[in-house]
Short mmCIF file of all heavy atoms in Angstrom, two decimals:
data_model
loop_
_atom_site.label_atom_id
_atom_site.label_comp_id
_atom_site.label_asym_id
_atom_site.label_seq_id
_atom_site.Cartn_x
_atom_site.Cartn_y
_atom_site.Cartn_z
N PHE N 57 15.82 56.93 -15.95
CA PHE N 57 16.91 56.00 -15.63
C PHE N 57 16.99 55.69 -14.13
O PHE N 57 17.26 54.54 -13.75
CB PHE N 57 18.25 56.53 -16.15
CG PHE N 57 18.35 56.46 -17.63
CD1 PHE N 57 18.31 57.61 -18.41
CD2 PHE N 57 18.47 55.25 -18.28
CE1 PHE N 57 18.39 57.55 -19.78
CE2 PHE N 57 18.56 55.16 -19.66
CZ PHE N 57 18.51 56.33 -20.41
N SER N 58 16.75 56.66 -13.30
CA SER N 58 16.77 56.38 -11.86
C SER N 58 15.64 55.44 -11.47
O SER N 58 15.81 54.54 -10.63
CB SER N 58 16.71 57.67 -11.06
OG SER N 58 15.48 58.33 -11.26
N THR N 59 14.47 55.62 -12.09
CA THR N 59 13.34 54.73 -11.81
C THR N 59 13.60 53.34 -12.38
O THR N 59 13.26 52.32 -11.75
CB THR N 59 12.05 55.31 -12.41
OG1 THR N 59 11.88 56.64 -11.92
CG2 THR N 59 10.84 54.49 -12.01
N ALA N 60 14.22 53.26 -13.55
CA ALA N 60 14.54 51.96 -14.15
C ALA N 60 15.55 51.21 -13.27
O ALA N 60 15.41 50.00 -13.05
CB ALA N 60 15.09 52.15 -15.56
N TRP N 61 16.58 51.92 -12.78
CA TRP N 61 17.55 51.27 -11.89
C TRP N 61 16.90 50.84 -10.58
O TRP N 61 17.24 49.80 -10.02
CB TRP N 61 18.75 52.18 -11.62
CG TRP N 61 19.76 52.09 -12.71
CD1 TRP N 61 20.08 53.04 -13.62
CD2 TRP N 61 20.57 50.95 -13.01
NE1 TRP N 61 21.04 52.58 -14.47
CE2 TRP N 61 21.37 51.29 -14.12
CE3 TRP N 61 20.69 49.68 -12.48
CZ2 TRP N 61 22.27 50.41 -14.68
CZ3 TRP N 61 21.60 48.80 -13.05
CH2 TRP N 61 22.38 49.16 -14.13
N ALA N 62 15.99 51.64 -10.08
CA ALA N 62 15.26 51.25 -8.87
C ALA N 62 14.46 49.98 -9.12
O ALA N 62 14.38 49.09 -8.27
CB ALA N 62 14.34 52.38 -8.41
N PHE N 63 13.86 49.88 -10.30
CA PHE N 63 13.10 48.69 -10.67
C PHE N 63 14.00 47.46 -10.74
O PHE N 63 13.68 46.40 -10.22
CB PHE N 63 12.39 48.95 -12.01
CG PHE N 63 11.41 47.90 -12.39
CD1 PHE N 63 10.24 47.73 -11.67
CD2 PHE N 63 11.65 47.08 -13.48
CE1 PHE N 63 9.32 46.77 -12.03
CE2 PHE N 63 10.74 46.10 -13.83
CZ PHE N 63 9.58 45.95 -13.12
N VAL N 64 15.17 47.61 -11.36
CA VAL N 64 16.12 46.50 -11.48
C VAL N 64 16.63 46.08 -10.10
O VAL N 64 16.72 44.87 -9.79
CB VAL N 64 17.29 46.89 -12.41
CG1 VAL N 64 18.42 45.88 -12.34
CG2 VAL N 64 16.80 47.05 -13.84
N ILE N 65 16.97 47.04 -9.25
CA ILE N 65 17.46 46.73 -7.90
C ILE N 65 16.37 46.05 -7.08
O ILE N 65 16.62 45.09 -6.35
CB ILE N 65 17.98 48.01 -7.21
CG1 ILE N 65 19.25 48.50 -7.91
CG2 ILE N 65 18.24 47.78 -5.73
CD1 ILE N 65 19.70 49.88 -7.49
N ALA N 66 15.13 46.53 -7.20
CA ALA N 66 14.02 45.92 -6.47
C ALA N 66 13.79 44.49 -6.92
O ALA N 66 13.53 43.60 -6.09
CB ALA N 66 12.75 46.75 -6.65
N ILE N 67 13.90 44.23 -8.23
CA ILE N 67 13.74 42.85 -8.73
C ILE N 67 14.85 41.96 -8.19
O ILE N 67 14.60 40.83 -7.75
CB ILE N 67 13.70 42.83 -10.27
CG1 ILE N 67 12.39 43.44 -10.77
CG2 ILE N 67 13.87 41.42 -10.81
CD1 ILE N 67 12.33 43.62 -12.27
N ALA N 68 16.09 42.46 -8.20
CA ALA N 68 17.21 41.66 -7.70
C ALA N 68 17.04 41.35 -6.21
O ALA N 68 17.24 40.20 -5.78
CB ALA N 68 18.52 42.40 -7.95
N LEU N 69 16.66 42.33 -5.42
CA LEU N 69 16.46 42.10 -3.99
C LEU N 69 15.28 41.17 -3.74
O LEU N 69 15.34 40.31 -2.85
CB LEU N 69 16.25 43.43 -3.26
CG LEU N 69 17.49 44.33 -3.14
CD1 LEU N 69 17.11 45.67 -2.54
CD2 LEU N 69 18.56 43.65 -2.31
N THR N 70 14.22 41.31 -4.52
CA THR N 70 13.05 40.44 -4.36
C THR N 70 13.41 39.00 -4.70
O THR N 70 13.01 38.07 -3.99
CB THR N 70 11.90 40.94 -5.25
OG1 THR N 70 11.59 42.27 -4.89
CG2 THR N 70 10.68 40.07 -5.09
N ARG N 71 14.17 38.80 -5.77
CA ARG N 71 14.59 37.44 -6.12
C ARG N 71 15.50 36.84 -5.05
O ARG N 71 15.41 35.65 -4.75
CB ARG N 71 15.30 37.44 -7.48
CG ARG N 71 14.32 37.69 -8.60
CD ARG N 71 14.97 37.45 -9.91
NE ARG N 71 15.33 36.03 -9.98
CZ ARG N 71 15.34 35.34 -11.08
NH1 ARG N 71 15.01 35.91 -12.21
NH2 ARG N 71 15.69 34.07 -11.08
N LEU N 72 16.37 37.67 -4.48
CA LEU N 72 17.25 37.21 -3.41
C LEU N 72 16.44 36.77 -2.19
O LEU N 72 16.70 35.71 -1.61
CB LEU N 72 18.24 38.31 -3.02
CG LEU N 72 19.24 37.97 -1.94
CD1 LEU N 72 20.36 37.12 -2.53
CD2 LEU N 72 19.80 39.22 -1.33
N ILE N 73 15.45 37.56 -1.83
CA ILE N 73 14.63 37.24 -0.65
C ILE N 73 13.74 36.03 -0.92
O ILE N 73 13.66 35.12 -0.09
CB ILE N 73 13.78 38.47 -0.24
CG1 ILE N 73 14.69 39.58 0.28
CG2 ILE N 73 12.75 38.09 0.81
CD1 ILE N 73 14.00 40.90 0.49
N THR N 74 13.08 36.00 -2.07
CA THR N 74 12.16 34.89 -2.34
C THR N 74 12.89 33.57 -2.60
O THR N 74 12.27 32.51 -2.52
CB THR N 74 11.23 35.20 -3.53
OG1 THR N 74 12.03 35.53 -4.68
CG2 THR N 74 10.28 36.33 -3.19
N ALA N 75 14.18 33.63 -2.89
CA ALA N 75 14.95 32.38 -3.02
C ALA N 75 15.14 31.72 -1.66
O ALA N 75 15.34 30.51 -1.58
CB ALA N 75 16.30 32.66 -3.67
N LYS N 76 15.08 32.51 -0.60
CA LYS N 76 15.28 31.99 0.75
C LYS N 76 14.00 31.54 1.44
O LYS N 76 14.05 30.89 2.47
CB LYS N 76 15.94 33.05 1.64
CG LYS N 76 17.24 33.57 1.11
CD LYS N 76 18.30 32.52 1.16
CE LYS N 76 19.62 33.08 0.67
NZ LYS N 76 20.59 32.05 0.41
N ILE N 77 12.84 31.91 0.90
CA ILE N 77 11.58 31.58 1.58
C ILE N 77 10.83 30.51 0.79
O ILE N 77 10.99 30.37 -0.42
CB ILE N 77 10.70 32.82 1.79
CG1 ILE N 77 10.29 33.44 0.46
CG2 ILE N 77 11.39 33.84 2.66
CD1 ILE N 77 9.32 34.59 0.60
N SER N 78 10.01 29.77 1.51
CA SER N 78 9.15 28.75 0.90
C SER N 78 7.97 28.54 1.84
O SER N 78 7.82 29.24 2.84
CB SER N 78 9.93 27.45 0.69
OG SER N 78 10.26 26.88 1.94
N HIS N 79 7.15 27.54 1.53
CA HIS N 79 6.02 27.26 2.42
C HIS N 79 6.51 26.69 3.75
O HIS N 79 5.84 26.80 4.77
CB HIS N 79 5.04 26.30 1.75
CG HIS N 79 5.59 24.93 1.56
ND1 HIS N 79 6.42 24.62 0.50
CD2 HIS N 79 5.47 23.81 2.30
CE1 HIS N 79 6.78 23.35 0.60
NE2 HIS N 79 6.21 22.83 1.67
N GLU N 80 7.69 26.07 3.75
CA GLU N 80 8.23 25.51 4.99
C GLU N 80 8.99 26.55 5.81
O GLU N 80 9.17 26.39 7.01
CB GLU N 80 9.15 24.33 4.68
CG GLU N 80 8.41 23.15 4.11
CD GLU N 80 9.35 22.02 3.73
OE1 GLU N 80 10.57 22.23 3.75
OE2 GLU N 80 8.83 20.95 3.41
N ARG N 81 9.48 27.59 5.14
CA ARG N 81 10.20 28.66 5.82
C ARG N 81 9.61 30.00 5.36
O ARG N 81 10.08 30.59 4.40
CB ARG N 81 11.69 28.59 5.48
CG ARG N 81 12.48 29.51 6.34
CD ARG N 81 13.95 29.55 6.10
NE ARG N 81 14.51 28.54 5.23
CZ ARG N 81 15.79 28.46 4.93
NH1 ARG N 81 16.63 29.33 5.44
NH2 ARG N 81 16.25 27.53 4.14
N PRO N 82 8.60 30.49 6.05
CA PRO N 82 7.93 31.72 5.62
C PRO N 82 8.80 32.96 5.84
O PRO N 82 9.84 32.91 6.49
CB PRO N 82 6.67 31.77 6.48
CG PRO N 82 6.93 30.88 7.62
CD PRO N 82 7.94 29.88 7.19
N LEU N 83 8.36 34.06 5.28
CA LEU N 83 9.11 35.31 5.33
C LEU N 83 9.35 35.77 6.76
O LEU N 83 10.44 36.25 7.09
CB LEU N 83 8.37 36.40 4.54
CG LEU N 83 9.03 37.77 4.51
CD1 LEU N 83 10.38 37.68 3.81
CD2 LEU N 83 8.14 38.77 3.82
N ALA N 84 8.37 35.62 7.63
CA ALA N 84 8.54 36.05 9.03
C ALA N 84 9.65 35.25 9.71
O ALA N 84 10.44 35.81 10.48
CB ALA N 84 7.23 35.90 9.79
N ALA N 85 9.74 33.95 9.43
CA ALA N 85 10.79 33.13 10.03
C ALA N 85 12.17 33.53 9.51
O ALA N 85 13.14 33.58 10.27
CB ALA N 85 10.54 31.65 9.75
N VAL N 86 12.26 33.83 8.22
CA VAL N 86 13.54 34.27 7.64
C VAL N 86 13.94 35.62 8.22
O VAL N 86 15.11 35.86 8.56
CB VAL N 86 13.45 34.33 6.10
CG1 VAL N 86 14.69 34.94 5.49
CG2 VAL N 86 13.23 32.94 5.55
N PHE N 87 12.97 36.52 8.38
CA PHE N 87 13.27 37.84 8.95
C PHE N 87 13.73 37.71 10.40
O PHE N 87 14.70 38.35 10.81
CB PHE N 87 12.03 38.74 8.86
CG PHE N 87 12.26 40.10 9.43
CD1 PHE N 87 13.04 41.03 8.77
CD2 PHE N 87 11.72 40.45 10.66
CE1 PHE N 87 13.27 42.29 9.30
CE2 PHE N 87 11.94 41.70 11.21
CZ PHE N 87 12.72 42.62 10.53
N ASN N 88 13.05 36.86 11.19
CA ASN N 88 13.47 36.65 12.58
C ASN N 88 14.85 36.03 12.67
O ASN N 88 15.66 36.40 13.52
CB ASN N 88 12.46 35.77 13.33
CG ASN N 88 11.22 36.53 13.69
OD1 ASN N 88 11.23 37.74 13.81
ND2 ASN N 88 10.13 35.81 13.84
N MET N 89 15.16 35.09 11.78
CA MET N 89 16.48 34.46 11.75
C MET N 89 17.54 35.51 11.41
O MET N 89 18.60 35.55 12.04
CB MET N 89 16.48 33.33 10.73
CG MET N 89 17.80 32.62 10.59
SD MET N 89 17.76 31.25 9.43
CE MET N 89 17.26 32.05 7.93
N TRP N 90 17.27 36.36 10.46
CA TRP N 90 18.20 37.42 10.06
C TRP N 90 18.41 38.41 11.21
O TRP N 90 19.55 38.78 11.51
CB TRP N 90 17.64 38.13 8.84
CG TRP N 90 18.42 39.31 8.39
CD1 TRP N 90 19.62 39.31 7.75
CD2 TRP N 90 18.07 40.68 8.57
NE1 TRP N 90 20.02 40.60 7.52
CE2 TRP N 90 19.08 41.46 8.01
CE3 TRP N 90 16.98 41.32 9.16
CZ2 TRP N 90 19.06 42.85 8.01
CZ3 TRP N 90 16.96 42.70 9.16
CH2 TRP N 90 17.98 43.44 8.58
N LEU N 91 17.33 38.78 11.89
CA LEU N 91 17.43 39.71 13.01
C LEU N 91 18.24 39.12 14.16
O LEU N 91 19.10 39.78 14.75
CB LEU N 91 16.03 40.09 13.48
CG LEU N 91 15.93 41.18 14.54
CD1 LEU N 91 16.43 42.50 13.96
CD2 LEU N 91 14.51 41.33 15.02
N ARG N 92 18.00 37.86 14.48
CA ARG N 92 18.75 37.20 15.56
C ARG N 92 20.21 37.01 15.18
O ARG N 92 21.09 37.06 16.04
CB ARG N 92 18.11 35.87 15.90
CG ARG N 92 16.81 36.06 16.63
CD ARG N 92 16.28 34.77 17.20
NE ARG N 92 15.03 35.03 17.89
CZ ARG N 92 13.89 34.46 17.58
NH1 ARG N 92 13.84 33.58 16.61
NH2 ARG N 92 12.80 34.76 18.25
N GLU N 93 20.47 36.78 13.92
CA GLU N 93 21.86 36.64 13.47
C GLU N 93 22.62 37.95 13.62
O GLU N 93 23.81 37.97 13.96
CB GLU N 93 21.89 36.18 12.00
CG GLU N 93 23.25 35.92 11.45
CD GLU N 93 23.94 34.74 12.08
OE1 GLU N 93 23.27 33.78 12.49
OE2 GLU N 93 25.18 34.77 12.17
#
Side-chain angles (χ1 to χ4, degrees):
F57 288 109
S58 65
T59 306
W61 276 111
F63 189 68
V64 169
I65 292 170
I67 289 173
L69 290 174
T70 302
R71 289 190 64 148
L72 181 78
I73 292 170
T74 55
K76 303 292 182 193
I77 62 175
S78 67
H79 68 279
E80 293 176 351
R81 190 181 349 180
L83 179 63
V86 173
F87 180 73
N88 284 335
M89 179 177 58
W90 175 74
L91 187 65
R92 288 190 180 121
E93 183 67 31

